[in-house]
Amino acid sequence: MKKLNKIIIEQLEKVFISLDAKGNKNESLEEILLCVKKSVGRAKPLKLLLFTCSVINADKLFSDKPWLYIKLSLKGNNLEPDLSCLKYVLTKLNKIYPTEVVILIGNTDPYYVYLKQFKGFTSLDRKILWSKFSKRWSRYKYMLEQKLITELGNKVRVISWYEFEKETETKFKVSFEKEYEKVKSKISRYFSKKELDWELAKLKNQFGSGKYFENLTRPSDKLLKDWVKRKFAEYAVQGKWLYKYFPNTILIQNEKPSELRSRMYQPLIKGEYGDKLPIVYFFGIDNSGFR
């Protein structure tokens, strides 16, 4: 059995290195290979993870019905360009060893980032907003789930970050928002001014025809700077929660800029565990794009 496991591990290592855009120069290669060894050694499926986000109606963000910001359409979903590659990767890996993928819908940006934790809303309005957003997210999740099961088969599981966050808080008596607030208040401890400034410069160009926030008037620089701090804080806590509550899982990076987004997940993991979230680049590396 040990000899067979060794052969399987070696085969998986070769696939990971050959399909990763960073090859054997991936800064988390050691952690990636450790995940592989642990999965095979424990006779557990190899687990991969990646994020997606819903398509948006940007002009609805500051309307009296901000939940309509979530568009109930899959056209333009950021997974689309990578689905064929993901299918190929899963096929290659499953030929060697059982492999599963979890698709996380990163859907709490409207709360933590853009609407500033519903600041300025009454407690009643906040309850209504959560209810409306929750229903919208649930419908989007169902639609995406059906599509991905059709495309990728039963080896894929779709999870709403909002649902995962609430379930985790209840189960482990923790608070994502409290951790988020703590990081946000000391953001310069975790990220450099250069990283924050780069994000701000890119964000300023995401408004207008054909851009991410199409049909939304660009907010003030003051608000955009606040959005950037909030986004970086959210990523940092999400990274820690991925590491802690999805143990022995490898993240596939499909965001842009690829390497900055990867770094955004790491500071709390490094500070609290002396470790890093293993991240692989099956879909290539794009350090100039924005999504």
Side-chain angles (χ1 to χ4, degrees):
M1 182 62 73
K2 286 185 177 180
K3 186 176 181 180
L4 178 59
N5 283 355
K6 185 179 178 182
I7 293 171
I8 291 171
I9 289 168
E10 288 175 352
Q11 290 176 334
L12 289 172
E13 287 179 359
K14 287 179 182 178
V15 171
F16 269 90
I17 291 171
S18 66
L19 296 182
D20 188 346
K22 288 196 171 190
N24 59 10
K25 298 188 185 306
N26 188 319
E27 62 278 2
S28 62
L29 181 60
E30 183 179 339
E31 289 76 17
I32 291 168
L33 299 185
L34 183 59
C35 280
V36 170
K37 290 174 183 175
K38 283 183 178 179
S39 296
V40 176
R42 296 168 182 171
K44 299 287 186 182
L46 184 62
K47 292 189 177 181
L48 305 175
L49 180 73
L50 75 155
F51 271 102
T52 187
C53 55
S54 59
V55 188
I56 65 170
N57 295 306
D59 57 323
K60 302 297 183 183
L61 183 60
F62 297 126
S63 71
D64 59 351
K65 296 179 179 179
W67 55 89
L68 297 182
Y69 172 80
I70 312 300
K71 187 182 286 188
L72 293 180
S73 167
L74 299 177
K75 188 176 181 181
N77 179 280
N78 70 327
L79 272 180
E80 280 186 344
D82 302 321
L83 270 181
S84 60
C85 181
L86 179 59
K87 189 172 184 177
Y88 175 74
V89 168
L90 289 174
T91 300
K92 290 274 285 186
L93 291 172
N94 271 298
K95 283 182 179 178
I96 303 169
Y97 190 76
T99 303
E100 300 173 355
V101 62
V102 171
I103 309 290
L104 269 170
I105 305 174
N107 50 17
T108 51
D109 281 3
Y111 177 68
Y112 286 112
V113 182
Y114 307 128
L115 296 177
K116 303 170 70 170
Q117 296 159 277
F118 297 160
K119 185 179 179 182
F121 291 94
T122 66
S123 58
L124 177 59
D125 285 341
R126 287 167 65 93
K127 286 181 181 178
I128 293 171
L129 284 172
W130 276 124
S131 175
K132 295 289 188 180
F133 267 110
S134 180
K135 288 177 182 176
R136 197 86 171 166
W137 287 330
S138 181
R139 288 175 66 189
Y140 187 84
K141 176 193 170 186
Y142 176 78
M143 292 165 57
L144 183 63
E145 206 166 30
Q146 298 310 302
K147 176 181 173 63
L148 292 178
I149 288 174
T150 300
E151 294 275 349
L152 303 173
N154 291 324
K155 292 293 183 181
V156 63
R157 186 159 60 110
V158 180
I159 296 176
S160 157
W161 180 273
Y162 169 72
E163 292 174 2
F164 160 70
E165 184 180 311
K166 296 308 170 191
E167 289 168 3
T168 303
E169 288 179 336
T170 300
K171 184 176 180 180
F172 296 101
K173 309 302 179 188
V174 292
S175 169
F176 185 94
E177 192 157 358
K178 285 182 180 178
E179 292 188 50
Y180 164 84
E181 286 284 1
K182 187 176 179 181
V183 174
K184 182 166 67 72
S185 68
K186 300 175 181 178
I187 200 70
S188 60
R189 177 183 295 183
Y190 302 103
F191 300 104
S192 70
K193 184 177 183 299
K194 183 179 179 181
E195 289 171 325
L196 297 173
D197 287 347
W198 189 97
E199 185 78 18
L200 178 62
K202 279 288 186 180
L203 180 57
K204 285 181 178 180
N205 290 319
Q206 298 306 309
F207 300 85
S209 179
K211 301 295 181 70
Y212 185 75
F213 293 104
E214 190 171 21
N215 299 322
L216 180 66
T217 302
R218 194 178 91 180
S220 67
D221 285 2
K222 181 180 179 181
L223 181 58
L224 293 183
K225 286 180 182 178
D226 186 57
W227 281 8
V228 168
K229 290 179 181 179
R230 288 172 172 276
K231 184 171 185 175
F232 275 66
E234 185 182 25
Y235 266 71
V237 183
Q238 283 181 333
K240 176 187 169 181
W241 280 40
L242 292 178
Y243 177 87
K244 189 173 182 179
Y245 300 114
F246 288 92
N248 208 51
T249 303
I250 300 165
L251 178 70
I252 304 173
Q253 183 56 271
N254 68 329
E255 302 164 284
K256 300 174 184 178
S258 309
E259 293 180 300
L260 175 59
R261 293 290 177 260
S262 293
R263 291 198 302 273
M264 287 164 68
Y265 289 121
Q266 304 292 0
L268 297 183
I269 301 169
K270 180 180 179 181
E272 296 182 29
Y273 302 98
D275 204 352
K276 64 180 69 165
L277 181 70
I279 299 177
V280 69
Y281 299 83
F282 289 142
F283 307 145
I285 299 170
D286 183 341
N287 288 323
S288 60
F290 189 91
R291 74 178 186 195

